[in-house]
Amino acid sequence: MDTIIPPSRLEAVVEQELDALPIIDIHTHTFDPAFGPLLLWGPDELLTYHYLVAELFRARPDLSPTRFWEMPKTDQADLIWQELFRRRSPLSEACRGVLTVFQRLGLNPDVDTLDPIRAWFRDQSPQTYVDTVFGLAHVQKVYMTNDPLDPIEREVWEKGFERDPRFEAVLSLDSALIHWPAAVPALRALGYDVEEALTGRTLAELRRYLSDWIERMTARYTAISLPPSFRYPNPDSALTLLYTRCVLPICRERQIPATLMIGVRKLANPALRLAGDSVGRSDIETVEALARDFPENRFWVTMLARENMHELAVAARKFANLVPFGCWWLLNNPSLIEEITAMRLELLGLSFVPQHSDARVLDQLIYKWDHSRRIIGRVLAAKYRDLASAGWPITAAAIRRDLATLLSRDPA
């Protein structure tokens, strides 16, 4: 029989078990190395990530976005290093993340220049660096976000490649559905007989497109990033009709989850490109109505507005086919991760997924999981202490089981 852990030891045991747990990262924008330039990695990609670009323009309001985008990427990275790391303390989570990556790699950055770090990275190959990152992040596999309408990506899928089993495929729906009928020419070029009008033929052909590419990719779920204005029911919305008449039937047929990421307002400041996206409060009744009206579908949902996260947890208490996951994007800050994780545990027990990395640059797996592990561990240790004070015995085996439920779970 396992030894009962005294309250004073709980945090240390949780941390030890977390460090030994291979994570399944259920949502990223990283790629199998076979996708070549689509796999982003290295210091220049890390420093020019849109989190840091947005912060740069806060530090340098005199800087012209047009001028910045005209600069070579190395010059952009050097400017961000100078402004956010040399001229001020790098206190933001995005800046701290860069430093965590360098530290975990054993690199000591020279405050004055990135050249030694760039030299170290030039000696790495994509495959060996993937091995390094997965080892340091202690991630066993990640879920990509795959778009067949991207010609560079589609070419890789069509030619075929030897897949790295650590990278699972996910069918992204954004380019096909969000701005309908913008996707019609691309879909027709692939041989799907669609037209702008949402006729029965068009809906059938779009379902065929979804089914074909889920099959080709062995996609484990579908994913869509939605604006806060998305509503269901909404008979006047092409997006809502396409989602409910095409996506949900195929997900049911294929027995895969339908994943929704709700609340992003694209290009609130277009001059900043990806860094110009913002957040909006979304309609929780839409999520509840989808879960209610499509009980045979499984919905994995995350929302971008902090206010929505409590509503989402409450909604999940009412619908067993609804799984909240992650602290997405603008919520990926330690204070908010801690608050949201504690709230979810209090409302849902272990029936949610506390985090995903959303990593677009491979290196981010290191810092996002390093930071999130510590936060999730503190929250869990506090909850275990509460249980112990209520007379419930806590063992290492129970902690190990619970952590696997939370962080080594495939979307299914």
Side-chain angles (χ1 to χ4, degrees):
M1 182 174 179
D2 268 3
T3 303
I4 296 173
I5 302 167
S8 62
R9 288 274 303 143
L10 282 168
E11 189 158 352
V13 174
V14 170
E15 184 173 335
Q16 177 182 322
E17 294 294 339
L18 263 173
D19 286 342
L21 179 73
I23 297 287
I24 294 177
D25 192 337
I26 67 167
H27 177 73
T28 77
H29 296 274
T30 61
F31 284 88
D32 185 311
F35 286 86
L38 293 179
L39 174 62
L40 304 179
W41 60 286
D44 294 327
E45 297 293 351
L46 195 58
L47 283 161
T48 58
Y49 187 59
H50 63 83
Y51 289 10
L52 289 146
V53 170
E55 195 174 336
L56 170 68
F57 287 107
R58 296 291 302 163
R60 283 285 306 275
D62 61 307
L63 178 64
S64 159
T66 301
R67 172 72 187 100
F68 176 79
W69 295 120
E70 289 172 346
M71 296 167 65
K73 183 160 286 187
T74 53
D75 290 352
Q76 293 174 356
D78 285 337
L79 178 60
I80 289 170
W81 183 256
Q82 175 180 318
E83 293 292 342
L84 302 186
F85 293 81
R86 291 185 62 195
R87 292 188 172 176
R88 47 187 57 78
S89 296
L91 294 172
S92 73
E93 177 66 3
C95 286
R96 176 186 166 222
V98 172
L99 298 177
T100 296
V101 171
F102 292 162
Q103 180 186 58
R104 294 294 308 282
L105 290 169
L107 303 173
N108 296 312
D110 185 325
V111 173
D112 294 324
T113 178
L114 293 166
D115 289 347
I117 288 177
R118 289 185 175 122
W120 184 88
F121 273 90
R122 281 195 291 272
D123 289 337
Q124 313 305 309
S125 70
Q127 188 60 59
T128 59
Y129 191 57
V130 166
D131 294 342
T132 297
V133 168
F134 273 60
L136 289 174
H138 208 178
V139 168
Q140 61 174 299
K141 66 178 174 179
V142 302
Y143 283 75
M144 303 181 285
T145 302
N146 304 106
D147 181 4
L149 299 187
D150 180 305
I152 298 174
E153 183 174 345
R154 184 175 65 250
E155 182 180 359
V156 178
W157 288 111
E158 289 177 341
K159 286 172 61 177
F161 59 98
E162 184 177 349
R163 295 182 67 166
D164 186 325
R166 295 172 296 182
F167 290 83
E168 298 274 18
V170 170
L171 179 59
S172 173
L173 307 174
D174 291 24
S175 61
L177 268 62
I178 294 289
H179 299 296
W180 190 271
V184 166
L187 288 165
R188 292 186 66 85
L190 292 180
Y192 297 98
D193 186 17
V194 297
E195 56 188 50
E196 293 189 8
L198 297 180
T199 62
R201 176 66 177 172
T202 291
L203 296 178
E205 284 293 276
L206 187 58
R207 286 192 291 268
R208 184 166 71 89
Y209 160 78
L210 298 172
S211 187
D212 286 350
W213 280 95
I214 289 169
E215 179 73 23
R216 182 189 289 269
M217 295 173 170
T218 319
R220 300 302 185 185
Y221 63 83
T222 65
I224 190 165
S225 177
L226 293 165
S229 58
F230 178 72
R231 296 289 184 274
Y232 167 82
N234 186 356
D236 298 324
S237 166
L239 174 58
T240 302
L241 180 65
L242 290 166
Y243 195 76
T244 55
R245 296 279 297 278
C246 297
V247 178
L248 295 185
I250 294 298
C251 286
R252 287 196 299 272
E253 177 185 312
R254 292 280 177 169
Q255 297 186 323
I256 61 174
T259 296
L260 302 96
M261 310 181 76
I262 312 173
V264 57
R265 292 193 299 113
K266 294 286 189 182
L267 299 178
N269 184 351
L272 301 191
R273 303 186 183 179
L274 278 178
D277 292 350
S278 191
V279 59
R281 175 79 176 268
S282 302
D283 176 34
I284 196 64
E285 293 182 20
T286 286
V287 176
E288 292 173 331
L290 286 168
R292 181 190 64 234
D293 291 354
F294 300 93
E296 295 180 0
N297 280 100
R298 288 166 291 142
F299 296 95
W300 286 56
V301 180
T302 194
M303 304 180 85
L304 194 53
R306 175 190 185 186
E307 297 85 352
N308 282 134
M309 284 305 215
H310 177 253
E311 297 174 330
L312 178 61
V314 172
R317 287 171 59 90
K318 316 304 172 186
F319 298 97
N321 60 337
L322 177 58
V323 178
F325 74 94
C327 296
W328 178 35
W329 193 347
L330 300 170
L331 294 176
N332 190 57
N333 292 297
S335 59
L336 297 176
I337 297 169
E338 187 161 357
E339 170 193 312
I340 291 166
T341 302
M343 177 267 294
R344 285 168 164 171
L345 284 168
E346 290 159 3
L347 283 171
L348 300 173
L350 298 169
S351 62
F352 68 99
V353 177
Q355 190 59 302
H356 65 278
S357 74
D358 201 32
R360 192 174 294 269
V361 181
L362 179 68
D363 318 55
Q364 292 171 335
L365 292 174
I366 298 173
Y367 95 75
K368 290 195 175 187
W369 282 114
D370 185 280
H371 296 183
S372 288
R373 266 189 169 92
R374 303 285 79 79
I375 299 162
I376 293 166
R378 286 199 304 271
V379 174
L380 276 169
K383 298 305 176 189
Y384 286 131
R385 284 194 295 271
D386 291 343
L387 284 182
S389 69
W392 189 261
I394 310 296
T395 66
I399 292 172
R400 196 174 307 125
R401 175 202 62 205
D402 295 346
L403 290 174
T405 299
L406 287 169
L407 292 167
S408 293
R409 176 179 179 182
D410 279 301

